[in-house]
Amino acid sequence: MKKYPGLLFALLLAACGGGGGGGNSATTASAAPSSTSPKTCTGGPYTTDPTKVCTDASGNLVTGYVYVQPKTVIPDGTVITADTTWPASGSPYFIAGTVRVAPGVTLTIPDNTIVETYRSVPCTADCVGTIPTKGIINVAGTLNVGSQGPVQLLGVTAANTSLAQDAGNGTVSITHAVLQDAFVQINDAAPFSMTYSQATHMNVTPIVRNGVTTYEAGTNGYPRLSRSSTVKGNTFVDSAAFAFDPSVFVQNNLFINMVDPLVLIDAFPANGQAPTGVAQRNSFLFKKDSPNGNRLVIESHGTYNASTLRSLDFTNNFWGVTDNTTIQSRVRDSTNTANPRLPNVILYAPALQSPDPATPADPQSTTPNE
C-alpha cells in the first residue's frame, strides 16, 4: 500500500547502474577532463555512448552519460532570483545538480526546448535504482513548461517539495511536453497542472532481474495532488501513478501499464458538499506482455469509519476490458473485505465500452489488453 509523506523528498531515481545521476562527482560535471584522468577517458565531459562513460583514478566522473550533447550547462546550486526564460536557442540545457526557483519568481521553459540531466548507464547485470541528486528543479515560485509545441524533460525532476527553508511549495505547470525517465514530485501546498503531455517511465525505478526489466514506484515523494489541480489529456506509459483528493480534475488521460494504482486521499469536502473534481473519461490499459506486477487502477486511503463513508464518482472511464468482474478487481475501496479495511466507495459503474474520443489514442493498440 502506498504512503504519502507530506514534504519528504526521498526520491528513487529512475536509474540502473552507475555513471549517471546520483554518481560521485567531485569534479564539476561541466569541466574538461583532468590531466590526471586515465588516457582512456577520451569522450569529453559528456557522451551519448554508454561505453565511453569514464571516471578518473579517484573515482570522480570525467565523462558522463547524457541523452543529447548539451549546449548550455546550468551549474549545481543555481538560484533563479528574477523571472527567467530558457529559450530554445540555448537548448539542450544540462542541469548539473539542483536549480532553485525563488519565491515570487517564474522560470519559463518554452516550446521546442530540451532540458536534461545525466542518463542512466544500462545494466550489464541485475540492478536496482539509486537516489537522485542531479537534474532537480525545485520550485518555490513558478515553473511553466511548454505552451503549444514539444518541450523535452529528460531525466529531470520538477518538484515543489522542500529542499531548504527558501524552497518548496511553488506552482508547477506542464503542457505539451515529453517526459522521459523524469520525476514530477508534487505536494498539495500549491496548484499543479499537467496537460497534453507524454510521460514514459515517470516517477519509477527500473529493476533488472535475470535480464527482465520491471518498473517499481518509490515509496516516498510521489505526487500528492490537491487544490483543484488538473491532470488532463496526458499519456502515461510504464509510469507511477499519484495520489489525489476529490478536488482534482483527472480527465481524458491514457494510462498504459500503470506501475501502481491511483490513490484517493480521504479529504472530502465538509458539511456534505459534493466534490468539485472530475475523474472521468480516462483509459486504463494493462498489456498482456507487460512484466509489471500491478493490475490495480485505484484504491482509497485513510481511516475506515463506517459512519462517514463517502463516494467518489469514478464512472465513465474505459478499463481496456468490458468484463465487470475484472473491472471490479482493479478497484480497492471499503467494499473490499481484506484487512485492514479501506475508507469510502469508488463508484466505477457505468464504465465506458470504448475509449473517449478526446482521450489520446493507444500507441500500443496492436498488443491485446488484459
Side-chain angles (χ1 to χ4, degrees):
M1 183 179 292
K2 258 184 179 176
K3 299 178 181 178
Y4 45 92
L7 299 180
L8 289 180
F9 195 69
L11 311 178
L12 288 174
L13 178 64
C16 218
N24 291 330
S25 184
T27 301
T28 303
S30 59
S34 168
S35 60
T36 61
S37 301
K39 294 181 179 179
T40 54
C41 290
T42 58
Y46 309 104
T47 181
T48 58
D49 182 350
T51 66
K52 294 183 179 179
V53 171
C54 192
T55 57
D56 64 18
S58 299
N60 298 316
L61 185 65
V62 175
T63 302
Y65 185 37
V66 295
Y67 295 84
V68 290
Q69 285 288 345
K71 183 176 181 179
T72 303
V73 174
I74 309 298
D76 183 22
T78 295
V79 179
I80 297 175
T81 57
D83 290 352
T84 300
T85 297
W86 291 348
S89 59
S91 178
Y93 293 85
F94 178 86
I95 300 178
T98 298
V99 174
R100 296 180 185 172
V101 182
V105 173
T106 298
L107 171 62
T108 300
I109 303 177
D111 296 344
N112 304 310
T113 300
I114 300 172
V115 182
E116 67 170 337
T117 189
Y118 292 104
R119 189 172 188 176
S120 308
V121 177
C123 289
T124 57
D126 291 0
C127 68
V128 297
T130 57
I131 301 297
T133 58
K134 311 291 183 185
I136 300 168
I137 305 175
N138 198 44
V139 185
T142 299
L143 172 65
N144 290 329
V145 178
S147 177
Q148 296 296 324
V151 174
Q152 296 184 55
L153 299 180
L154 308 178
V156 171
T157 297
N160 69 1
T161 49
S162 181
L163 286 179
Q165 285 186 328
D166 63 344
N169 303 337
T171 299
V172 177
S173 176
I174 299 172
T175 188
H176 293 283
V178 175
L179 297 89
Q180 180 180 346
D181 307 327
F183 284 82
V184 177
Q185 304 299 323
I186 303 298
N187 63 48
D188 55 4
F192 169 75
S193 175
M194 180 173 174
T195 57
Y196 309 112
S197 296
Q198 302 174 39
T200 302
H201 306 157
M202 190 175 87
N203 286 352
V204 297
T205 299
I207 309 293
V208 180
R209 298 185 181 96
N210 299 321
V212 176
T213 301
T214 59
Y215 296 94
E216 297 184 9
T219 57
N220 297 312
Y222 69 88
R224 173 176 171 162
L225 308 183
S226 187
R227 299 189 180 223
S228 301
S229 295
T230 298
V231 181
K232 182 177 181 179
N234 305 290
T235 298
F236 299 95
V237 180
D238 285 318
S239 294
F242 49 84
F244 68 103
D245 74 21
S247 75
V248 177
F249 291 75
V250 183
Q251 304 174 77
N252 289 112
N253 299 286
L254 171 62
F255 297 86
I256 300 177
N257 298 334
M258 301 169 67
V259 170
D260 59 350
L262 296 167
V263 168
L264 171 63
I265 302 173
D266 187 13
F268 283 77
N271 302 321
Q273 299 175 8
T276 57
V278 176
Q280 297 181 343
R281 301 187 295 281
N282 303 283
S283 292
F284 303 102
L285 311 181
F286 295 101
K287 297 298 180 177
K288 288 190 174 181
D289 63 355
S290 172
N292 295 336
N294 176 60
R295 293 297 182 270
L296 279 176
V297 167
I298 184 170
E299 60 185 4
S300 58
H301 278 202
T303 303
Y304 177 79
N305 185 339
S307 66
T308 59
L309 288 180
R310 301 177 177 89
S311 61
L312 175 73
D313 186 355
F314 203 71
T315 61
N316 295 307
N317 290 294
F318 178 60
W319 299 72
V321 295
T322 57
D323 172 43
N324 282 334
T325 300
T326 300
I327 292 174
Q328 186 176 30
S329 72
R330 294 177 179 175
V331 176
R332 189 174 287 169
D333 61 7
S334 64
T335 64
N336 189 294
T337 58
N339 188 28
R341 298 188 68 183
L342 298 168
N344 306 316
V345 178
I346 297 168
L347 302 176
Y348 60 86
L352 295 180
Q353 300 299 296
S354 60
D356 187 89
T359 299
D362 177 12
Q364 301 180 24
S365 59
T366 57
T367 302
N369 302 317
E370 66 175 21

